[in-house]
Amino acid sequence: MKNRLSKILASNGVASRRKCEELIFGGKVTVNGEVILKPQHMVDISKDNISVDGNKIQKVEGKVYYILNKPRGFVCSHDKERFKNIVIDLFPTKYRLFTVGRLDKDTTGLVLVTNDGHLSHKVIHPSSEVQKEYLVKTNLDILPEQLEKISQGVSIDRCFVKPQKVVKVRKNTLKITLKEGKKHEVRKLVEQTGQQVQELQRIRIGNLRLGNLEIGHYKEVSLQDLDPIFE
Ligand code: URA
């Protein structure tokens, strides 16, 4: 997309708009090898070669946010030497993306993927109180006392965690809402009752729902979709 040269320079981190105009008037800026003296000259940073004092301007990467329906068997890691199926490999490579928190290899469902480190910290940190909701299928029917035990919480790494909400939706299916994300938290909550987790799927993070996003597919979302607190 074409835009004014001064605006492109400023929005890609060269200097303030006024300073960029001075650079242009001073003959410091070239577009495709030609000195341009007009700030309103139209350019496309993806196509034109723009330099200031001989240094090529690189496009500043915008922040992107995706939700993915993670397939079973994929890991939330960058370690390509250790793992064959990596979540990030499901995405276009032009961004330096990472997952916000982790799901276990066998867990499916909603993963937030971004290049925004600031947001990642906010979502993961327990103080943010961003809810994560999971659908859990167990091997046996869930008894009332087991439901009660899960609701009471469990100790993980000497830290006691208690779910915000536990709802039985079918004989062997629960919905569990957490606000922190301790390693294997849902599995530990459920398995302390003697039940085995057969399927675990994350269905919501904040206001973002998995909905009918197909397994292995992703879509771009905005910060506002995630939670109004991140606007
Ligand atoms: N809790 C778990 O036990 N596993 C996950 O993948 C996520 C939450």
Side-chain angles (χ1 to χ4, degrees):
M1 206 177 90
K2 286 207 170 209
N3 229 313
R4 288 163 58 100
L5 180 57
S6 54
K7 186 172 178 203
I8 292 287
L9 293 180
S11 61
N12 287 282
V14 171
S16 68
R17 184 82 77 91
R18 207 170 65 85
K19 179 82 179 121
C20 289
E21 287 181 356
E22 283 172 19
L23 290 168
I24 296 168
F25 292 136
K28 306 273 187 198
V29 181
T30 59
V31 176
N32 303 324
E34 189 189 333
V35 175
I36 300 294
L37 296 169
K38 287 195 286 186
Q40 65 273 30
H41 182 85
M42 299 299 276
V43 289
D44 181 341
I45 193 168
S46 313
K47 295 188 184 139
D48 293 314
N49 188 339
I50 306 165
S51 297
V52 177
D53 276 335
N55 300 312
K56 189 174 184 304
I57 302 308
Q58 302 294 340
K59 189 174 178 181
V60 169
E61 229 181 51
K63 301 273 187 276
V64 286
Y65 309 91
Y66 297 100
I67 55 169
L68 165 77
N69 188 350
K70 179 182 120 31
R72 192 184 268 260
F74 276 72
V75 290
C76 298
S77 164
H78 283 270
D79 194 343
K80 288 181 194 262
E81 311 254 291
R82 256 181 88 196
F83 304 109
K84 199 166 99 213
N85 296 320
I86 288 180
V87 161
I88 293 306
D89 287 346
L90 296 165
F91 286 82
T93 52
K94 66 175 175 158
Y95 298 111
R96 271 166 289 137
L97 297 172
F98 50 86
T99 63
V100 175
R102 290 171 182 221
L103 286 184
D104 298 338
K105 189 175 174 192
D106 287 338
T107 305
T108 61
L110 192 57
V111 179
L112 184 58
V113 176
T114 184
N115 57 355
D116 181 351
H118 190 55
L119 171 91
S120 173
H121 181 74
K122 282 211 252 181
V123 175
I124 295 171
H125 203 271
S127 66
S128 72
E129 309 224 329
V130 175
Q131 291 185 335
K132 291 104 189 168
E133 189 176 345
Y134 297 85
L135 194 65
V136 194
K137 277 198 187 147
T138 56
N139 58 325
L140 303 169
D141 290 358
I142 298 148
L143 305 172
E145 56 271 28
Q146 292 176 325
L147 195 62
E148 179 58 22
K149 198 158 187 207
I150 295 168
S151 307
Q152 290 305 315
V154 70
S155 186
I156 302 176
D157 302 332
R158 281 186 274 151
C159 184
F160 194 76
V161 288
K162 195 170 147 94
Q164 278 201 321
K165 198 168 164 193
V166 183
V167 180
K168 182 171 166 178
V169 285
R170 274 186 294 281
K171 284 195 274 191
N172 67 339
T173 307
L174 296 173
K175 275 186 183 170
I176 300 184
T177 307
L178 308 176
K179 64 173 194 272
E180 65 286 290
K182 290 268 173 212
K183 199 169 179 195
H184 307 315
E185 183 165 345
V186 174
R187 292 176 199 277
K188 285 186 174 155
L189 279 165
V190 174
E191 286 170 2
Q192 62 162 339
T193 65
Q195 290 275 3
Q196 284 168 21
V197 171
Q198 298 223 302
E199 283 174 36
L200 177 54
Q201 184 187 41
R202 182 154 64 193
I203 55 174
R204 181 169 66 84
I205 303 173
N207 288 341
L208 292 173
R209 291 181 184 277
L210 185 63
N212 52 12
L213 188 63
E214 277 179 56
I215 197 106
H217 286 229
Y218 60 82
K219 73 173 183 191
E220 196 166 350
V221 293
S222 74
L223 260 194
Q224 255 168 296
D225 294 332
L226 173 65
D227 199 308
I229 65 168
F230 296 125
E231 270 175 46

